[in-house]
Amino acid sequence: MTSTSTVLPPAPAPQAPEPAPAPATRRRVSRRAAILRSWQLYVLLAPGLIYLLIFKYWPMYGAQIAFRNYNPASGFTGSPWVGLMHFERFINSFQFEELLVNTLTINTVGLLVAFPVPIVLALIVNQLSSRRFKKVVQSVLYAPSFISVVVVVGMIFLLFSPGAGIVNNVIELSGGEPIFFMGDPEWFRPLYIGSDIWQNAGFSMIIYLAALTAIDPSLHEAAKMDGANKFRRIWHIDIPGIMPVVTILFVLAIGNIFNLGFEKVYLMQTPLNLETSEIINTYVYKAGLQQAQFSYSAAIGLFNSVLNLILLVTFNYVAKKANQSSLW
């Protein structure tokens, strides 16, 4: 009897495992895949990014003329470098103190007076029980924000005119003497701040009303069952609920305190009220465009922006240390 033996084929040699992709490569692949999955969102985001790059970041290249004696024929890099000469000239000028005081006074007083107004309006409107009346009040308060600055200033000149203005007519009927409001430096700040509140308080009120709608209604229901009146509910529920929004907007307002609205101030200026109406922004316009002092005006503008940045970072740090909402 013969036996046959089966010869098995040799086992394949073990292959070395393929090396795993590096972490950086994996991150690039995953990021690229995420962008491709959400390409529609990036298309929507592109116009905003392009706007920021062209109108916000690219002009920073021209800020170097603040450190040069800029000559349009020589260009940015061809103009001679003068360092901090223009900054020293502005700080040592006789107008520096007046410009700084006027800008800070109008903006600081305006911030202290105008900032709480939309908060109070939002809290009052939020308590209105009639939905139809609530919509009417919102529309009336919000409507002035659609009026252009030029029209608002024209209304101010007409209402406070010494001859035909309604305000002076009422003063004369009351037995008083007419007041030249637009020519009196003492009246510039009240008119500017008051008209600013009338025009912009309604828009800011909408922001706080949106924040109030995010508050859980069950908190008010529980407070009612505990016997809390409207004032107590506003103080202990509504105000703490909108405090993060209030803090963020306040920090942003502080960081913009030196950027007082140029258009309105310039339109309200007259030769008689320059004592209180001349601010940094209007001075930059006159020095840069009317007098063609490009480097000098750029230095003033850069100085203004640096002060705003310092205030923004400082108050954001204070808000963060106080355990309040912050920008970063």
Side-chain angles (χ1 to χ4, degrees), residues 150-295:
V150 177
V151 175
V152 171
V153 175
M155 294 169 60
I156 294 173
F157 273 95
L158 289 175
L159 291 173
F160 294 93
S161 171
I166 297 177
V167 176
N168 274 308
N169 288 338
V170 173
I171 292 176
E172 289 181 344
L173 291 174
S174 303
E177 294 292 330
I179 302 173
F180 188 14
F181 289 97
M182 303 308 297
D184 190 346
E186 295 182 357
W187 279 102
F188 176 82
R189 292 165 183 166
L191 289 177
Y192 179 90
I193 295 171
S195 60
D196 190 67
I197 293 174
W198 175 78
Q199 185 180 13
N200 298 318
F203 179 82
S204 300
M205 178 196 69
I206 299 298
I207 299 176
Y208 295 116
L209 281 175
L212 286 169
T213 58
I215 298 176
D216 190 356
S218 62
L219 298 175
H220 286 277
E221 296 174 0
K224 286 181 182 179
M225 295 182 64
D226 291 339
N229 55 24
K230 285 187 177 181
F231 177 78
R232 289 294 181 183
R233 296 201 304 272
I234 291 174
W235 185 260
H236 294 287
I237 298 176
D238 288 342
I239 293 180
I242 65 174
M243 191 54 64
V245 178
V246 173
T247 305
I248 293 294
L249 293 180
F250 184 76
V251 171
L252 290 174
I254 289 292
N256 204 38
I257 199 168
F258 282 96
N259 282 339
L260 191 65
F262 160 77
E263 297 89 353
K264 190 174 181 181
V265 175
Y266 185 72
L267 291 171
M268 290 180 64
Q269 276 187 356
T270 64
L272 299 176
N273 64 16
L274 284 177
E275 180 183 340
T276 57
S277 65
E278 189 74 295
I279 60 172
I280 293 177
N281 286 345
T282 57
Y283 183 70
V284 168
Y285 168 76
K286 294 174 183 177
L289 295 181
Q290 294 183 354
Q291 302 174 13
Q293 301 182 63
F294 303 113
S295 294

